[in-house]
């Protein structure tokens, strides 16, 4: 899938948000500046968040709860983790009981990444577009691609 501009990312984010359920993990992969945070913010806005969604780079986990959003969701940035074992200390599994996760830099979790995560790899193209490649697990098969 090609995302031509930020508006295309916002439309994709809205479509994902409409299909997001408790227990879902959306893993966003890509190099610095690929658009991971832009897509995560688009999902949060479509879930009802008003105002700015700060990047969780320093906090690592930025939680959002109703009524600010329609379901609990944590925006997670694992860039600063030293290793996969550090992710266990974040309590992310607990957040999945009634909410969803938007995880940037999921490769920092190694084999500990949830096997049913929707993995969206974003690759900047030379013309300002982004190529998005999805790895779609069974729980997402009927929901992907979002229309």
């Amino acid at each position: 899938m090609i995302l031509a501009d930020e508006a295309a990312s916002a439309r994709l984010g809205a479509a994902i948000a409409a299909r997001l359920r408790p227990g879902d993990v959306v893993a966003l992969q890509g190099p610095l500046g690929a658009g991971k945070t832009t897509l995560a913010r688009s999902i949060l806005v479509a879930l009802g968040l008003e105002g700015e969604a700060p990047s969780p780079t320093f906090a690592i986990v930025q939680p959002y709860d109703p009524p600010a959003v329609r379901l609990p969701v944590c925006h997670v940035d694992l860039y600063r983790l030293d290793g996969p074992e550090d992710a266990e200390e974040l309590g992310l599994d607990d957040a999945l009981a009634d909410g969803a996760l938007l995880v940037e830099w999921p490769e920092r979790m190694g084999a500990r990444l949830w096997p049913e995560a929707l993995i969206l790899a974003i690759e900047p193209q030379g013309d300002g577009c982004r190529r998005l490649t999805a790895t779609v697990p069974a729980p997402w098969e009927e929901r992907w691609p979002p229309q």
Side-chain angles (χ1 to χ4, degrees):
M1 171 183 303
I2 298 294
L3 302 174
D5 52 26
E6 238 179 88
S9 291
R11 287 189 298 274
L12 176 61
I16 292 169
R19 290 153 181 80
L20 200 63
R21 301 175 186 161
D24 282 342
V25 177
V26 178
L28 304 167
Q29 295 179 332
L32 287 170
K36 298 179 298 294
T37 301
T38 298
L39 184 54
R41 285 178 174 154
S42 295
I43 294 168
L44 290 166
V45 167
L47 288 172
L49 185 66
E50 296 180 8
E52 183 68 24
S55 172
T57 299
F58 295 103
I60 300 178
V61 178
Q62 182 66 48
Y64 298 92
D65 294 304
V69 289
R70 75 167 172 83
L71 79 145
V73 63
C74 290
H75 183 189
V76 183
D77 185 331
L78 301 177
Y79 184 76
R80 295 181 30 227
L81 292 189
D82 290 327
E85 62 282 350
D86 292 347
E88 285 183 32
E89 298 173 19
L90 300 176
L92 299 177
D93 287 326
D94 295 337
L96 290 174
D98 64 349
L101 298 175
L102 307 175
V103 181
E104 296 185 44
W105 301 98
E107 58 275 15
R108 301 274 200 228
M109 292 186 73
R112 295 173 191 230
L113 181 64
W114 297 269
E116 296 184 344
L118 172 65
I119 301 173
L120 303 177
I122 305 170
E123 181 183 343
Q125 304 295 290
D127 56 3
C129 295
R130 269 98 170 114
R131 176 179 303 279
L132 184 134
T133 305
T135 302
V136 183
W140 277 90
E141 286 176 353
E142 293 182 11
R143 297 182 277 164
W144 191 266
Q147 303 299 328

